[in-house]
Amino acid sequence: MLPCPSFSLVTLTYVTLVAAQSAVLQYAPSTMVQCPDVSTQPLLRVFTPQSQAIHPLEMDYIQSKESNVLPNAWTAWIGNASQIGYNSPEFGGNYSKIGMAISGGGYRVAQYGAGVISALDARNDSARAAGTGGLYQVTSYLSGLSGGSWLVVSLALNDWPTTSDLVYGNGGNLSGWLLDLDLVTPDGFDVFDSNNQAYYGSVLSSVLAKAAKGIDTSIIDPWSRLLSYHFLSGTSPQNFFTNDSSHGAGQLWSQATMTPSYQQAIAPFPVIVTNSLPIGSNLTIPSISQTVYEMTPLEFGSYDPNLSAMVNMTFAGTNLTNGNPDNGSSCVTGFDQAGFVMGASSALFRPSLDSAETTLEGFSSGDTNGILFMLDQLLKNVVTRGGDVANWPNPFHSVASSTFTESDSSWLELVDGGSNGAQIPIDPLLVKARGLDTIVIVDGSSEEPSHWPNGTSMLFSAQRLSTVLAASHQQLPPLPESVGSFISAGVNQRPTLFGCDPDTPEEYPLVIYLPNSPPLTGDNPSTNYDTFQFAYTDKETQIFLDQAHNNTIGGFTPNSNAPDPNWGKCLQCAAVDRARLKQNVTSRSSMCQECFSQYCYDPLNPPSSSELPNRKFTLVDPDPQGLLQITTFLSANKASIIGGVLGLVMALGILTGILYRQQQRKEVRYKLVSQYRKNDPVWEGYEEFELSGRDVQ
Ligand SMILES: *[C@@H]1O[C@H](CO)[C@@H](O)[C@H](O)[C@H]1NC(C)=O
Ligand SMILES: *[C@@H]1O[C@H](CO)[C@@H](O)[C@H](O)[C@H]1NC(C)=O
Ligand SMILES: *[C@@H]1O[C@H](CO)[C@@H](O)[C@H](O)[C@H]1NC(C)=O
Ligand SMILES: *[C@@H]1O[C@H](CO)[C@@H](O)[C@H](O)[C@H]1NC(C)=O
Ligand SMILES: *[C@@H]1O[C@H](CO)[C@@H](O)[C@H](O)[C@H]1NC(C)=O
Ligand SMILES: *[C@@H]1O[C@H](CO)[C@@H](O)[C@H](O)[C@H]1NC(C)=O
Ligand SMILES: *[C@@H]1O[C@H](CO)[C@@H](O)[C@H](O)[C@H]1NC(C)=O
Ligand SMILES: *[C@@H]1O[C@H](CO)[C@@H](O)[C@H](O)[C@H]1NC(C)=O
Ligand SMILES: *[C@@H]1O[C@H](CO)[C@@H](O)[C@H](O)[C@H]1NC(C)=O
Ligand SMILES: *[C@@H]1O[C@H](CO)[C@@H](O)[C@H](O)[C@H]1NC(C)=O
Ligand SMILES: *[C@@H]1O[C@H](CO)[C@@H](O)[C@H](O)[C@H]1NC(C)=O
Ligand SMILES: *[C@@H]1O[C@H](CO)[C@@H](O)[C@H](O)[C@H]1NC(C)=O
């Protein structure tokens, strides 16, 4: 019989005894905290689409950025604008207000977004030389969702370093993302390996510490802790398998305001997006009208018309009824763990499980079946409320009771920010009160079979905006009317400007769309990995980032594989164009007019993908051996896949057992995983493994 490793009653008891010393326990929120006097310092803000306003502290931040940071940042980027045919004093110091959105898509998008940002960052030499480096510095908002949220949270909590330093480490306090250590089985596919065991032990002890505070946990809590090892600071190859670090536990989203870059308003204002499901439903995909939430370091809530309310992020986790805590000392702090914010935004278990009955992207059908089967069995055994969603105490109880569907509920069930079909976190950037002029969309979503975007998400967002959000949000500019026309126009294969010529500046913002696309040079692509690949070798990451960087500084030249030497200037034209239009001081320069005729999508005269010759679409992994060696979730090595999933299942099994125990359930039974796949040789080693409720009680 295989020893049932540290997951036994003995170990769990031991865990509770020694746990007190461990820094990873800072994942537990503090309960019974003194509440502010809500009569003078309210925790809740309610408004209507008509009276919509942003938080005064957000306003202060943006104003401070506009007076102290942006004028110099614009000058550093575009100088006096003579190179694009303008004279910048004509703008009167009034430039376009810009936001940037990073889509969902796992590790792929975290890396794609990092490569794109490096290409728009004035601190990067080749970006500055190309004229693209500087757009990032004049960006006021940065939103992220799912994999994109990992990048945004990682930037924000690490004081906005260059993406090179963030991803590779800087030899100082940044250790890099350590993407070569698999997210689920960092020490290789043997889940019983002592390092993996220590890893799961640390992860579980954090989650148990939270559960011990009486706060419902779920699969999303261990998921959040796994992500924290990579995207938050404090974890290095040396301490990865030890408790010498908190591994990001205790780093709070509300504390993103403490970094020097935030204090000086150098950074863009970060916003993370998450979806929700109706409480207790077995739905897998939220309906188009289901509330979409945003999480800034200041607030949690939604500008969707039917909620129109925000609460103070510092006190996330507190039960509020119509804005009032149960009593003066019933507040919770420390619930807004940055890891949990990333985890909630990427809580993809429900949608990927059920909708993927036949397609779990990237997995072969046999592996898909194996994974889905196991996870499905797991979920069937998890009958705690919200076992596969991020459980968030509802701070909007009794708010907007005639329109907000969760107004009666004690909890919110948060799921992956892209699960409703909108993979790009555009909504926060189109909130009317934020008044953005120009939106940069970094779309690394996987929509067509080779994991490139094809416009599906853009079109879904446009539809939701024009219906559900018509009263509260700006609209997207005209887009191709179908996915087919998006693809045939080629606008998903090169940078594209949408909405170049509105009737009035207010009609809609200008969109700078930067899709993940094949190298313009005709080289083999290495940026379109599967969403579910959770390990990358250093070489894969390096080539990925460089390729995304090169494409982003390159623009495109019609009917050619040469980069466009004018693209940097064209991007500057796009960035200032709404300011020009609003100031009405000058007509578009001939330089910019030329750029716009090349890069704008004109619905009456759409471009064609045939102008983009010799593009290659199939991923070529530059380091296939490395990938096999480090055993990924996706690798061709079947045992590794099962090992990874089994590790997760085991971890969750333990967790669930504990939760049941806390809820005084008599019995929880975990069936033999192997029972379901008796005839499959890869299961042999696990034949004897069983975890039952009795084991954990
Ligand atoms: C704008 O800057 C360029 C280069 O720095 C300079 O040659 C030109 O004289 C400037 N134009 C004006 C109007 O100041
Ligand atoms: C810049 O914008 C402000 C506020 O909208 C306005 O008062 C000012 O006149 C503008 N400056 C110029 C030169 O148009
Ligand atoms: C890392 O160190 C740099 C330079 O000492 C500092 O500016 C930055 O804030 C530090 N970052 C973190 C996350 O501690
Ligand atoms: C970290 O601490 C937890 C709880 O005390 C324990 O389960 C886990 O094995 C420890 N990890 C290591 C590497 O010591
Ligand atoms: C979801 O719940 C409904 C009503 O409770 C039930 O009829 C349906 O079978 C459930 N669907 C699944 C997939 O479990
Ligand atoms: C949250 O509440 C605390 C205590 O009242 C206050 O200091 C802080 O400014 C509030 N933050 C926001 C974003 O309202
Ligand atoms: C919040 O309310 C829920 C449901 O009533 C309860 O289970 C939970 O313990 C409460 N949380 C706190 C911190 O009081
Ligand atoms: C808002 O709430 C009203 C009243 O419940 C409902 O009729 C409407 O469909 C809701 N709108 C959306 C977009 O959910
Ligand atoms: C576009 O993406 C959607 C969503 O992933 C997919 O269902 C559809 O098949 C794709 N269409 C094409 C032509 O690639
Ligand atoms: C600029 O970006 C490229 C591509 O990611 C990277 O290789 C290079 O190191 C960066 N340079 C700096 C100074 O960060
Ligand atoms: C990026 O561009 C540089 C400069 O042209 C080139 O040396 C490098 O090989 C390119 N990298 C990739 C991955 O395409
Ligand atoms: C802007 O300029 C155009 C063309 O010169 C003119 O028709 C329009 O009335 C002007 N708008 C404003 C607000 O000044």
Side-chain angles (χ1 to χ4, degrees):
M1 156 150 186
L2 207 81
C4 188
S6 32
F7 295 124
S8 66
L9 175 59
V10 180
T11 317
L12 285 168
T13 313
Y14 176 67
V15 164
T16 55
L17 290 178
V18 301
Q21 293 116 34
S22 178
V24 296
L25 304 187
Q26 293 169 40
Y27 186 68
S30 303
T31 50
M32 295 186 290
V33 171
Q34 192 65 37
C35 299
D37 175 359
V38 293
S39 65
T40 56
Q41 294 171 287
L43 293 173
L44 171 74
R45 259 179 354 107
V46 293
F47 42 86
T48 66
Q50 291 70 39
S51 67
Q52 183 193 74
I54 59 174
H55 192 282
L57 292 176
E58 180 181 330
M59 181 94 79
D60 288 351
Y61 187 86
I62 295 299
Q63 280 172 356
S64 155
K65 194 171 177 70
E66 281 173 353
S67 12
N68 306 326
V69 175
L70 290 179
N72 291 337
W74 278 104
T75 305
W77 185 29
I78 64 168
N80 62 15
S82 60
Q83 77 282 7
I84 53 172
Y86 300 122
N87 178 22
S88 61
E90 287 174 328
F91 296 107
N94 292 343
Y95 292 108
S96 313
K97 196 190 263 191
I98 301 181
M100 189 181 299
I102 317 279
S103 77
Y107 274 12
R108 179 189 61 253
V109 108
Q111 293 172 96
Y112 177 62
V116 169
I117 287 179
S118 78
L120 305 176
D121 189 335
R123 293 169 293 182
N124 187 294
D125 297 338
S126 57
R128 209 172 44 248
T132 52
L135 176 56
Y136 182 53
Q137 274 68 27
V138 298
T139 296
S140 294
Y141 284 89
L142 181 65
S143 64
L145 158 173
S146 199
S149 82
W150 307 342
L151 170 61
V152 174
V153 169
S154 193
L155 283 164
L157 269 292
N158 286 299
D159 194 23
W160 304 93
T162 63
T163 55
S164 297
D165 283 358
L166 185 67
V167 176
Y168 306 125
N170 63 357
N173 53 8
L174 297 174
S175 299
W177 281 353
L178 311 176
L179 298 186
D180 56 333
L181 296 169
D182 187 276
L183 185 66
V184 183
T185 55
D187 199 40
F189 64 77
D190 178 6
V191 295
F192 301 119
D193 161 288
S194 60
N195 277 341
N196 283 336
Q197 287 290 306
Y199 177 62
Y200 302 140
S202 295
V203 165
L204 285 167
S205 60
S206 318
V207 179
L208 295 177
K210 176 173 173 181
K213 298 281 184 159
I215 297 172
D216 281 18
T217 52
S218 74
I219 184 174
I220 305 308
D221 289 279
W223 175 244
S224 301
R225 293 295 300 129
L226 305 186
L227 294 168
S228 301
Y229 276 64
H230 297 274
F231 296 103
L232 300 181
S233 64
T235 301
S236 65
Q238 291 72 39
N239 71 18
F240 199 96
F241 298 104
T242 74
N243 282 332
D244 297 347
S245 160
S246 71
H247 300 294
Q251 294 185 29
L252 304 181
W253 187 225
S254 54
Q255 288 173 348
T257 58
M258 310 297 275
T259 63
S261 300
Y262 186 99
Q263 295 276 313
Q264 296 158 38
I266 295 168
F269 187 78
V271 190
I272 302 305
V273 167
T274 179
N275 285 177
S276 62
L277 287 169
I279 308 308
S281 82
N282 59 6
L283 287 181
T284 58
I285 297 181
S287 70
I288 192 167
S289 61
Q290 185 68 28
T291 311
V292 171
Y293 293 91
E294 64 165 58
M295 301 183 273
T296 75
L298 301 176
E299 296 186 295
F300 170 81
S302 182
Y303 290 89
D304 289 10
N306 276 5
L307 178 51
S308 293
M310 303 292 286
V311 293
N312 188 318
M313 182 56 87
T314 305
F315 294 94
T318 303
N319 288 328
L320 297 174
T321 301
N322 207 6
N324 298 307
D326 297 345
N327 59 60
S329 57
S330 65
C331 278
V332 174
T333 55
F335 180 87
D336 60 319
Q337 299 277 329
F340 193 56
V341 166
M342 293 189 284
S345 183
S346 60
L348 45 69
F349 292 88
R350 177 95 61 102
S352 58
L353 289 184
D354 298 69
S355 67
E357 211 72 69
T358 51
T359 55
L360 187 54
E361 271 178 300
F363 291 101
S364 70
S365 65
D367 292 338
T368 297
N369 291 344
I371 289 164
L372 289 181
F373 185 76
M374 285 184 292
L375 291 178
D376 191 45
Q377 290 301 318
L378 171 77
L379 293 184
K380 281 184 183 144
N381 286 290
V382 174
V383 293
T384 50
R385 195 193 46 67
D388 55 356
V389 298
N391 293 303
W392 196 287
N394 184 6
F396 303 114
H397 195 275
S398 301
V399 173
S401 50
S402 60
T403 52
F404 175 51
T405 44
E406 272 66 63
S407 170
D408 286 340
S409 171
S410 303
W411 293 86
L412 300 178
E413 298 190 352
L414 304 184
V415 291
D416 188 276
S419 29
N420 65 1
Q423 283 291 343
I424 307 163
I426 308 176
D427 301 359
L429 306 181
L430 295 176
V431 166
K432 280 183 178 165
R434 290 196 167 119
L436 296 188
D437 302 305
T438 302
I439 311 285
V440 182
I441 291 179
V442 180
D443 188 357
S445 58
S446 165
E447 292 174 334
E448 61 85 74
S450 309
H451 310 302
W452 305 107
N454 70 13
T456 301
S457 187
M458 289 287 280
L459 293 172
F460 179 84
S461 281
Q463 188 196 353
R464 189 168 189 275
L465 283 156
S466 65
T467 52
V468 179
L469 305 181
S472 51
H473 289 62
Q474 297 194 74
Q475 297 300 303
L476 281 176
L479 301 174
E481 60 196 14
S482 67
V483 167
S485 37
F486 211 94
I487 294 170
S488 64
V491 292
N492 60 334
Q493 286 183 51
R494 47 122 168 147
T496 302
L497 308 179
F498 292 102
C500 294
D501 295 296
D503 286 336
T504 67
E506 292 77 27
E507 197 180 6
Y508 38 69
L510 186 139
V511 167
I512 300 172
Y513 182 61
L514 303 176
N516 186 20
S517 45
L520 68 101
T521 53
D523 289 345
N524 287 320
S526 302
T527 63
N528 54 328
Y529 293 83
D530 189 276
T531 306
F532 287 80
Q533 176 164 331
F534 288 126
Y536 284 77
T537 68
D538 292 345
K539 184 174 179 189
E540 287 169 334
T541 294
Q542 178 110 40
I543 289 178
F544 191 140
L545 261 59
D546 287 352
Q547 206 172 79
H549 177 97
N550 283 1
N551 243 22
T552 308
I553 65 176
F556 81 106
T557 305
N559 306 307
S560 155
N561 293 100
D564 175 4
N566 285 327
W567 163 237
K569 289 179 193 151
C570 291
L571 195 59
Q572 298 174 15
C573 288
V576 301
D577 202 65
R578 278 300 188 271
R580 178 196 63 77
L581 193 60
K582 280 189 166 173
Q583 294 306 321
N584 204 14
V585 287
T586 179
S587 51
R588 197 173 279 155
S589 70
S590 60
M591 161 86 218
C592 290
Q593 193 52 54
E594 225 170 279
C595 285
F596 275 43
S597 59
Q598 178 174 337
Y599 285 96
C600 290
Y601 169 74
D602 175 356
L604 300 177
N605 183 21
S608 165
S609 62
S610 67
E611 291 164 27
L612 307 167
N614 306 321
R615 297 322 196 247
K616 297 204 181 90
F617 296 92
T618 307
L619 174 76
V620 174
D621 182 345
D623 193 14
Q625 274 324 104
L627 207 142
L628 280 176
Q629 279 159 15
I630 60 174
T631 73
T632 72
F633 214 35
L634 174 71
S635 97
N637 182 339
K638 192 169 189 184
S640 74
I641 294 171
I642 288 165
V645 174
L646 185 65
L648 206 54
V649 169
M650 286 172 61
L652 293 165
I654 293 289
L655 176 64
T656 318
I658 296 290
L659 292 177
Y660 271 99
R661 196 165 54 139
Q662 286 200 342
Q663 297 181 2
Q664 275 122 43
R665 304 252 176 165
K666 289 284 180 301
E667 201 188 359
V668 54
R669 200 161 61 78
Y670 260 81
K671 295 181 179 122
L672 272 175
V673 174
S674 56
Q675 184 178 317
Y676 305 116
R677 295 291 291 263
K678 280 224 160 70
N679 302 326
D680 191 332
V682 295
W683 289 102
E684 273 163 14
Y686 304 112
E687 200 72 53
E688 305 299 333
F689 174 70
E690 180 168 16
L691 176 68
S692 76
R694 278 190 318 128
D695 286 343
V696 296
Q697 288 202 11

